[in-house]
Amino acid sequence: MKNEILRMENITKIYSNGITANKGVYFSICESEIHALVGENGAGKSTLMKILFGLEQPDDGEIYLNNSRISITSPSLAIKNGIGMVHQHFMLVPSLTVAENVVLGLEPRNKGFFDYKKAVAITEELAQKYNLFVDPNSIVEDLPVGMKQKIEILKALYRGAKILILDEPTAVLTPQETVELFNQLMHLKNSGHTIIFISHKLNEVKQISDRVTIMRNGRNVGVFNTSDVSENDISRLMVGRDVVFKLDKNIKKLGKTILNVKNLNYTSETGKKVLKNISFSVRGGEILGIAGVEGNGQRELVEIITGLRNYYEGEIVIDNIRINNLSIKEIRELGTSHIPEDRMVYGVAAQGTIEENIISDRFYKKELNHRILMNIKKVSDISKDLIKEYKIKCSSSKQKVSMLSGGNIQKVVVAREFSSNPKLLIADQPTRGIDIGATEFIHKKIIQLRDSGTAILLVSADLNEILEVSDSLIVMYGGEIVAYFDDTANVTEEELGMYMLGLKRQSHDEIGRVIYE
Amino acid sequence: MNNIFKIIFSTSFGYAILRVTTPILFSGLGAVISDKAGVINIALEGTMLTSALTGVIVSALTQSTFFGVIAAILSGIFVSLLLSYFSLNLKTDIVLTGIAINLLASGGTIFILYLVAHDKGISTSLNSKVIPNVTIPLLNKIPILGPILSGHNILTYLSWISVAIVYILLYKTPLGVRIRAVGENPEAAESVGINVNKIRYIALCISCILASFGGAYMSMGYVSWFSTNMTSGRGFIALAAEAMGKGNPVGTLLTSLLFGFAGALSNNLQSLRIPSEFVQMIPYLATIVGLVIYSIRKTNMLKYKKEVQNA
Ligand SMILES: Nc1ncnc2c1ncn2[C@@H]1O[C@H](COP(=O)(O)OP(=O)(O)OP(=O)(O)O)[C@@H](O)[C@H]1O
Ligand SMILES: [Mg+2]
């Protein structure tokens, strides 16, 4: 065994609302290892890491760095001690450039002025050294998530981090980006860095980590050499029961066409053709998956169908109504639900309570109002039922959403969108950041909705999810539909990969089969 | 009508625009800095008023213009500390705190004026100093431009220089990068070890210093006395100028000039036979018209994009 570099002992954290997120946690990591930290949503992983990074103060417990006790009362102290963190929700300033973001807080100076050229040089040099290629001069808000993540890692490295905390880094990455990230992590490990890696994807944990610490209900329930435990062992320890990875699906009864997209073309603000001649339909009782590497037009497609984006060419019909000139609210009134890709931007109002977020799509409806006043009791009853049904971990239905753990925030979104009896559900990465138990639950819910006749469009960067859940699927590449499979059961991951990378494409007629009237 | 054009196309009108613009520009730049740091400084109006009075009293007591201006700035810093302490440390709402400070300044200056000058309206009984005007050699020889640009108050020139200073501060210094980061994503700034409150304290302080230059100019340059509520909403006009200038120092200069134009027009038209109430409305009307034009342009841009896309 290698040398222990850092140890947290007996850490207890009680948040001001009374939730005990960590109970006497012991956590230890060694030099140049990749140490996975796993546990269900709300198990206390992020909290433990926030304590290590000085963002939260523990109510009890000690931290030892190289066997000497340290106290970390602020992120700057953590940074001084060589600890860096890449947060579950990115901490970047969108309007600044990559180089400015990397050096923020520790800016190179030249006679008192900000030395931007030096900042660019520093970024380039770090990028070279650690194989994390980014363009130092691009503005961060225009970049894809994979790139943002690299910037976050560079930020930590620039500050001299030897211990790097990555909170669910792969939740937002495509399989290709994940492979790239893992190569970079191995590179970092070999250059003497220690990495703490939080993930809900146990295959990744198996693949990349040397050791794994499992948390449950705020406690450390075990530390193992990763090679000694199987995925099933880990999930049993996390959830306390076996998790079924296979879904059993009923035979479907197809209804009429609910969503019809005809010859959709879209050019982005920057003049790039993002969607080219997209046509497809989804019928009631059907789950159509959209596979594809992120950035091939899926996001724009979803935003257009849900009304978040305008000014496109072509026609979109939901339940026989043309929605081109309808507002988001009118589109929702047609029975459309939307689980957005980015929960913090479009999914929730983080400063609002769980209740407020749950009724945000229905607050004006008759059943929630007494004449001009809101029916407060009804609102809280609905919310409490959903909290129970979706096992949202919280202190009460009046808790602020920003105080929930990442996975529980996602559950709030899912609960709202599933409970409005949708005719059409657009689910964009519905299980991002959600633990395996809850993922299983959400998949079952999706299938249940399908069986009740809802048309479902499922977008996911997770191939397993697409292959397991959807009935039929299309593949998008370069803004086009390049393949259609009417039965997912006959598709292999390898085959899908060929289409996703643009190495293969089907004929026009084959793709045309995805259009019904 | 002819009279109006004669007024507008005279060099003295050009001179008047710049004269009227000065306090709005100072405060507008103050608004730029605080807004970039994500803290709205509603107290610009009260800050100007406080420093206008402080400048008059201290320059009268010390018989020194210099000490008058220094005291005006110190009073501005004091106001900024008050605002920061309540809103950043005690977490009161910054807009409400700003309004409270404005009300306090409005009443408080009258009270102190009465204590010092034994008058509730005007400070003429005090022998206060003024900040001198300067003639710029060579520039004053150029026809048309000379009489417009030369011979202004020192602070007017300082306000122009401040545009560049604020620009450099925001975009070329480490502090500027931090101010922008704090305003856009405070959590991100905090996670890299930036003390968010400290940056906001500094931003509000600079913001109030700029406003207090505007205040000192009002009572020691624009006119040579303090009168009650003499800033008459310039702090708010400055906020509008900043918003229309898109939070950009140069944009704020241009919109401040626009308001300067409206102000100068209203001053000059008072000599004609137009109801003075109507004339005094002009700067405020200009604010509204300006904001409307701004939003129409924004919508048009969106429409234009749509057409390009459908083509
Ligand atoms: N700022 C906060 N205030 C109050 N309670 C909080 C706060 N942050 C987290 N919690 C609560 O603490 C518990 C642990 O949350 P934490 O974010 O550590 O979970 P996690 O293991 O990271 O989960 P996930 O996998 O969903 O990200 C949760 O029940 C959560 O509601
Ligand atoms: Mg978490």
Side-chain angles (χ1 to χ4, degrees), chain A residues 186-474:
Chain A
M186 289 309 285
H187 192 94
L188 284 171
K189 171 182 151 179
N190 294 334
S191 62
H193 292 80
T194 301
I195 291 153
I196 303 172
F197 174 81
I198 301 181
S199 176
H200 290 294
K201 300 180 188 168
L202 300 184
N203 56 339
E204 293 177 350
V205 170
K206 278 293 283 179
Q207 187 189 340
I208 188 91
S209 70
D210 302 304
R211 290 197 302 157
V212 52
T213 293
I214 300 168
M215 287 186 74
R216 188 164 148 207
N217 267 331
R219 289 202 164 83
N220 177 346
V221 292
V223 187
F224 304 91
N225 286 323
T226 310
S227 51
D228 299 344
V229 281
S230 72
E231 278 181 43
N232 272 325
D233 296 335
I234 301 176
S235 72
R236 205 174 310 116
L237 280 160
M238 270 168 60
V239 188
R241 66 180 164 90
D242 276 313
V243 176
V244 201
F245 288 101
K246 265 268 158 292
L247 292 162
D248 46 27
K249 303 200 267 184
N250 303 328
I251 311 145
K252 52 189 179 176
K253 10 181 207 329
L254 287 177
K256 60 178 175 118
T257 301
I258 302 271
L259 171 68
N260 213 338
V261 176
K262 289 182 204 154
N263 299 321
L264 180 64
N265 278 288
Y266 177 73
T267 312
S268 72
E269 289 87 20
T270 52
K272 196 176 146 215
K273 279 213 105 189
V274 190
L275 294 175
K276 298 175 205 153
N277 244 331
I278 301 278
S279 300
F280 66 90
S281 2
V282 190
R283 291 162 291 187
E286 173 181 43
I287 304 175
L288 178 70
I290 299 187
V293 176
E294 203 163 326
N296 278 286
Q298 303 93 315
R299 185 202 305 171
E300 288 79 3
L301 178 63
V302 165
E303 290 184 1
I304 286 172
I305 297 175
T306 51
L308 289 169
R309 223 176 249 266
N310 290 317
Y311 309 138
Y312 49 87
E313 239 178 80
E315 193 178 45
I316 296 172
V317 176
I318 295 177
D319 203 18
N320 292 324
I321 298 187
R322 197 181 125 104
I323 62 152
N324 288 46
N325 291 313
L326 299 191
S327 67
I328 298 175
K329 187 174 165 199
E330 286 164 333
I331 293 175
R332 276 186 172 270
E333 298 266 82
L334 294 176
T336 310
S337 274
H338 176 207
I339 300 171
E341 170 195 41
D342 191 334
R343 56 175 169 252
M344 299 318 274
V345 177
Y346 294 118
V348 292
Q351 294 308 311
T353 63
I354 299 178
E355 278 181 8
E356 286 162 354
N357 273 285
I358 283 188
I359 61 157
S360 61
D361 68 335
R362 60 195 73 156
F363 63 90
Y364 54 88
K365 298 216 164 121
K366 259 223 174 76
E367 67 260 29
L368 290 180
N369 290 280
H370 285 310
R371 294 209 181 87
I372 58 165
L373 297 178
M374 292 222 73
N375 185 345
I376 304 291
K377 183 160 182 315
K378 190 82 187 284
V379 168
S380 78
D381 285 350
I382 289 184
S383 309
K384 279 180 191 140
D385 287 347
L386 287 174
I387 286 170
K388 217 196 241 152
E389 183 179 355
Y390 287 82
K391 301 195 183 72
I392 299 170
K393 221 179 154 205
C394 59
S395 55
S396 86
S397 62
K398 299 211 162 39
Q399 194 180 346
K400 261 197 197 174
V401 165
S402 64
M403 288 183 177
L404 296 179
S405 79
N408 282 301
I409 296 177
Q410 182 75 5
K411 287 189 198 168
V412 173
V413 178
V414 170
R416 178 183 65 220
E417 299 300 326
F418 279 18
S419 60
S420 60
N421 281 324
K423 278 189 207 143
L424 172 67
L425 168 70
I426 316 278
D428 195 354
Q429 326 288 350
T431 56
R432 172 170 285 175
I434 284 203
D435 67 50
I436 44 170
T439 298
E440 182 196 15
F441 173 77
I442 288 178
H443 286 167
K444 279 193 182 143
K445 274 273 170 196
I446 291 183
I447 287 172
Q448 211 176 314
L449 269 182
R450 180 204 61 183
D451 291 341
S452 68
T454 306
I456 296 168
L457 187 65
L458 170 72
V459 185
S460 176
D462 184 344
L463 281 190
N464 285 325
E465 178 165 53
I466 286 274
L467 288 175
E468 246 171 65
V469 181
S470 53
D471 301 314
S472 52
L473 77 92
I474 55 182

Side-chain angles (χ1 to χ4, degrees), chain B residues 47-79 131 208-209 211-213 215-217 219-220:
Chain B
T47 313
M48 280 170 96
L49 206 54
T50 309
S51 14
L53 179 65
T54 313
V56 162
I57 293 176
V58 173
S59 74
L61 289 179
T62 59
Q63 282 302 301
S64 149
T65 314
F66 179 74
F67 284 123
V69 175
I70 294 291
I73 291 164
L74 289 178
S75 70
I77 294 177
F78 174 74
V79 174
I131 303 160
C208 283
I209 289 177
S212 46
F213 272 116
Y217 172 81
S219 64
M220 301 171 72

Side-chain angles (χ1 to χ4, degrees), chain A residues 53 75-76 79 87 91-96 100 104-105 107 109 112-114 155 159 267-269 311 313, chain B residues 168 171-174 177-178 180-181 184-185 187-194 302-303 305-306 309-311:
Chain A
F53 192 60
S76 32
I79 292 166
H87 298 265
M91 298 279 190
L92 295 170
V93 185
S95 79
L96 299 187
E100 281 170 333
L104 185 64
E107 304 86 356
R109 288 158 203 242
F113 288 98
F114 175 49
K155 256 169 76 180
R159 289 166 176 74
T267 312
S268 72
E269 289 87 20
Y311 309 138
E313 239 178 80
Chain B
I168 291 172
Y171 297 98
K172 304 284 172 196
T173 68
V177 180
R178 290 178 187 198
R180 287 185 289 144
E184 233 186 294
N185 190 347
E187 280 100 28
E190 183 163 8
S191 76
V192 293
I194 293 175
L302 274 177
K303 276 196 198 137
K305 266 191 193 153
K306 180 177 180 175
Q309 245 163 43
N310 289 342

